[in-house]
Amino acid sequence: MASSDENDISRTVPRRGLPREVPRIGAIIVIGAGDTLDSLRKPRVVAMEQLTLDIGRRPNPTPVPGAPPTGPVLAIPDPTVSSVHARIQRASSGGDLFIMQDLGSTNGTYVDGRRTSGPVPLRDGAVVFLGSQVLVFRIVTTAELEALQEDAAAPFAPLPTCSPTLAVTCAKLRRLARTNSELLIVGETGVGKEVFANAIHAHSGRPGKLVAINCAAIPRELVESELFGYEKGAHSTAQGRKVGLVELANGGTLFLDEIGDMPAELQAKLLRFLQDRRFTPLGSTRVIEVDVRIVAATSRIGMEKGPQVQDAVLGRLGAQPILLPPLRDRVEDVGRLVAHFLRDLGDGRAFEPEAFHALCLHAWPLNVRELTKVIGEAEALSRGAATIGLEHLPDAVTATLQLDAEDDLENTDVDLQPLAQEEEEPADSDPGMTRAAVSPARRRRPAPTRDELTSLLTQSKGSVAEVARRLNRQYAVIWRCVQRYGIDANKFRDGNE
């Protein structure tokens, strides 16, 4: 039986072996439903102890007479999740192939935004919707599970991670932080390189402070004087001695952000400093020696054109660059990040299911920085509303949800509904029947007609959200109908009728 405790990670997996023989198992990260911020702060990581795992609302469902016994069940106490909702099992062929199948649930099972109609393979990182709940499937090793446990107990960064890849990186940084060696952090714009630089300094035990410099923001001609300082009279504006950032960081950490944007000749001067921790301020003959730890960051390694970190400098910045995964590769952290960003912004307002689903399906090309901006804007736009809905999110975020759902809309729609108490299988049901046969039918309603939408858009002055409220329908359903009919909602706004 899979435990439902927070951060539950099975310890019963095989031990780590040689790199090509590392045993891997399935793991399910339960992100939450987004209906309360508290649920997003407490994701669960559950490793598959056996080859099959059933997921449902009740931990011990009543078996159908004559049916084979059920295996372990991951219990998710959510009224939109069926008693036994879906099943994940390892393919009989072995390897890393895992299959997911809906078990006749009321609200359906969606994998990467698309409703499943039969067994479907699960990719590593697949996003799964069960009712309102969001899960992420991962194929993990023992080392990754142990790293997840370690970071859950003592987070390296401000927030613990549920990403196996990032957890392993955090475990590595936790050990390197207490050394004096230089480090180079590599990651796309917006992944949080400075956040991790601060975490490295916080875990280093160094008595000094962290001094950060954005190499891309300082004019080319000022980089050297900013780093190493200058003496009075060193240049026309040098009215007095200026202490450089390197000297200010003495006893602490100097963080060189976007070092790839530093001119090549200055990278050469930095290289000399990295070799002996000595430098000479501009206009001086005095050699200064400092005790400073260098942490650098860049997004420019491997670019065929444009500035990047020189090979000689790379050789001094650690044995191997530390790669931070982009947010699209650690979607399991979206819920916890969202709850963190909303903590000081609002009144505890959470999300409508479709809005949170859209956040989990978006690719986040600008990473955590983009998520921060989207959540801040959504909170502001939703003030006065009960929840944050699709209408409060940018079109770029909601587009993926609407696109992936196109195949699921055949002039009908399925609204997420809490399950009735009598939803369970009748005691006298035919043992040979599947759950799909004995489960109640989904509640379907015809999609609104073109004329109906045109009339309501006129009355609501082009507000799709208002039309959805009047029809008591999901925003995503109404928006897809508007798109299908080729209606331009903007034409119904004031002055455009």
Side-chain angles (χ1 to χ4, degrees), residues 472-492:
N472 192 27
R473 308 292 283 269
Q474 297 178 34
Y475 176 91
V477 171
I478 301 303
W479 176 255
R480 291 198 299 271
C481 291
V482 168
Q483 296 293 98
R484 172 181 294 161
Y485 292 135
I487 300 174
D488 184 359
N490 290 324
K491 292 183 178 180
F492 296 87

Side-chain angles (χ1 to χ4, degrees), residues 90 166 247:
R90 198 166 202 148
L166 185 56
E247 191 172 351

Side-chain angles (χ1 to χ4, degrees), residues 359-382:
L359 293 176
C360 294
L361 288 177
H362 186 51
W364 301 110
L366 300 180
N367 294 293
V368 180
R369 185 177 299 158
E370 179 186 6
L371 178 62
T372 306
K373 298 296 184 183
V374 167
I375 296 304
E377 182 176 292
E379 192 281 328
L381 293 175
S382 64

